[in-house]
């Protein structure tokens, strides 16, 4: 709370201070090393570790997210992003186009407030605007698109919506009220467990999806762990569900085709026996064996 208050006093908005002073890489998430660097610039270097531990009382080491620093501002922002999701499928480019009909390349507080109210947003648009303002009473498009990096409503969860799968998720959000309705539209029944890649491609094309249906279907198949598409996996991905990466707590490794495959099983470590200060006579050992088990220098049985 004290850290959020400090950021608010510095920039007038926690989001703006987070964006300009804390999120140095503009990725939406801040690792501990970057956080300590930001604390030095903010003049609280001696308290960096303490602040981090207070924000992470359960001891997590994953990168820090905005909602952990300013819950109230984050909830207001997520309420707005929920409307962007339901109206545009979280297509921020289309949302900006409608909010800036005169193509002036920026929005004033009045513009943003009017556009937000027109979309049905009942929260605090001024609070969001102050967080995305460049400091001149204007919000630029690139600042507006920062929402895609910090909002949990983004198709891949705080990741830029790019690529065939992201396009498919955006299309589904825009065209259908829910994922199950879209699956029914594809002709996938409730009891169906999987569908062939070629069949899914044909059905996506038939319903009007203009993106790369083949690459999207292949990505789901790879995430399913086989050559066919798991209907359950398809439903989860289209719902925007994120998988917990227990090793790094990073955004879904399954979605980004970087899932860690299990490595080869290694034999348990067995320490070597100490040297007995003698030389083993292999020839004598060979002679001590029964005739059928003796070996020659070629590795074949001497009895052969």
């Amino acid at each position: 709370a004290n850290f959020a208050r400090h950021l608010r006093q510095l920039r007038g908005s926690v989001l703006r201070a987070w964006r300009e002073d804390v999120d140095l890489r503009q990725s939406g998430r801040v690792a501990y090393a970057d956080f300590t660097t930001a604390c030095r610039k903010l003049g609280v270097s001696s308290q960096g570790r303490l602040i981090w531990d207070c924000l992470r009382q359960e001891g997590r080491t994953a990168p820090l997210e905005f909602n952990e620093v300013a819950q109230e501002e984050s909830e207001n922002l997520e309420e707005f992003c929920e409307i962007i999701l339901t109206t545009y499928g979280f297509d921020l480019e289309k949302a900006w186009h409608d909010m800036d009909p005169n193509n002036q390349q920026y929005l004033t507080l009045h513009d943003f407030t009017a556009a937000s109210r027109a979309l049905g947003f009942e929260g605090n648009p001024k609070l969001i605007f102050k967080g995305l303002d460049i400091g001149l009473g204007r919000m630029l498009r690139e600042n507006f698109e920062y929402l895609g990096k910090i909002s949990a409503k983004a198709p891949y969860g705080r990741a830029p919506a790019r690529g065939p799968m992201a396009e498919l998720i955006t299309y589904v959000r825009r065209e259908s009220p829910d994922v199950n309705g879209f699956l029914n539209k594809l002709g996938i029944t409730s009891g169906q467990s999987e569908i062939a890649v070629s069949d899914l491609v044909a059905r996506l094309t038939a319903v009007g999806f203009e993106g790369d249906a083949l690459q999207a279907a292949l990505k789901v198949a790879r995430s399913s762990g086989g050559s066919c598409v798991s209907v359950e996996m398809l439903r989860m991905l289209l719902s925007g569900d994120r998988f917990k990466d227990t090793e790094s707590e990073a955004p879904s490794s399954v979605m980004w085709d970087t899932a860690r495959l299990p490595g080869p099983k290694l034999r348990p470590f067995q320490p070597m026996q100490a040297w007995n200060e003698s030389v083993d006579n292999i020839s004598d050992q060979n002679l001590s064996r029964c005739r059928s088990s003796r070996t020659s220098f070629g590795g074949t049985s001497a009895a052969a």
Side-chain angles (χ1 to χ4, degrees):
N2 291 335
F3 182 60
R5 188 180 304 112
H6 178 72
L7 295 179
R8 189 177 298 109
Q9 292 174 349
L10 178 67
R11 299 289 185 183
S13 161
V14 180
L15 176 56
R16 185 178 172 193
W18 167 272
R19 184 170 54 83
E20 296 185 358
D21 303 298
V22 181
D23 186 8
L24 304 177
R25 301 179 189 275
Q26 294 293 289
S27 64
R29 296 156 59 90
V30 179
Y32 176 71
D34 290 336
F35 183 77
T36 55
T37 300
C39 285
R40 284 197 298 270
K41 295 181 178 180
L42 290 169
V44 291
S45 58
S46 62
Q47 303 178 51
R49 183 72 208 190
L50 177 62
I51 296 172
W52 178 275
D53 289 341
C54 288
L55 296 172
R56 288 295 174 77
Q57 295 182 6
E58 71 280 15
R60 291 176 60 222
T61 58
L64 192 68
E65 299 183 6
F66 175 67
N67 65 87
E68 298 175 277
V69 176
Q71 184 177 358
E72 183 178 347
E73 279 196 37
S74 178
E75 290 175 353
N76 182 67
L77 182 147
E78 293 294 355
E79 183 182 342
F80 174 75
C81 288
E82 177 69 29
I83 295 177
I84 297 298
L85 173 64
T86 56
T87 306
Y88 302 101
F90 215 88
D91 189 328
L92 294 173
E93 182 178 354
K94 290 190 176 182
W96 177 267
H97 178 76
D98 284 355
M99 299 179 82
D100 181 26
N102 298 322
N103 197 29
Q104 58 186 1
Q105 304 301 320
Y106 66 86
L107 295 176
T108 63
L109 174 59
H110 179 269
D111 296 332
F112 182 72
T113 301
S116 300
R117 296 304 186 206
L119 289 171
F121 178 54
E122 298 179 354
N124 187 344
K126 183 177 180 179
L127 189 59
I128 299 175
F129 183 87
K130 289 173 66 177
L132 301 176
D133 179 15
I134 61 174
L136 301 173
R138 295 182 177 184
M139 179 195 298
L140 302 181
R141 176 174 170 175
E142 53 263 36
N143 302 127
F144 179 73
E145 291 179 345
Y146 185 73
L147 293 175
K149 298 180 180 180
I150 60 173
S151 173
K153 307 299 180 183
Y156 278 123
R158 302 183 184 91
R162 300 190 184 100
M165 196 62 212
E167 292 176 358
L168 178 58
I169 293 174
T170 299
Y171 173 80
V172 172
R173 296 274 175 82
R174 187 171 61 245
E175 299 295 327
S176 183
D178 61 80
V179 173
N180 288 328
F182 182 76
L183 294 180
N184 291 335
K185 190 176 180 180
L186 291 177
I188 297 177
T189 61
S190 57
Q192 188 172 347
S193 62
E194 62 181 29
I195 181 174
V197 169
S198 58
D199 195 6
L200 178 59
V201 172
R203 297 188 190 193
L204 288 174
T205 304
V207 298
F209 175 57
E210 297 179 352
D212 193 333
L214 176 59
Q215 289 303 315
L218 287 173
K219 282 183 176 292
V220 184
R222 285 195 292 269
S223 296
S224 303
S227 57
C228 288
V229 173
S230 163
V231 173
E232 184 60 27
M233 177 63 70
L234 178 62
R235 179 180 291 106
M236 293 177 70
L237 293 180
L238 293 181
S239 299
D241 288 351
R242 292 177 296 185
F243 294 84
K244 184 69 170 178
D245 184 342
T246 56
E247 294 188 39
S248 67
E249 297 193 57
S252 171
S253 60
V254 177
M255 285 186 174
W256 294 103
D257 296 324
T258 58
R260 295 173 177 81
L261 298 178
K265 292 185 177 180
L266 302 178
R267 294 180 181 178
F269 173 74
Q270 295 180 347
M272 296 181 65
Q273 294 181 353
W275 181 42
N276 59 8
E277 298 185 359
S278 65
V279 177
D280 292 334
N281 191 323
I282 301 176
S283 178
D284 288 345
Q285 292 178 6
N286 199 35
L287 289 174
S288 67
R289 298 177 181 176
C290 63
R291 186 176 182 81
S292 61
S293 64
R294 295 175 186 173
T295 58
S296 63
F297 285 106
T300 58
S301 173

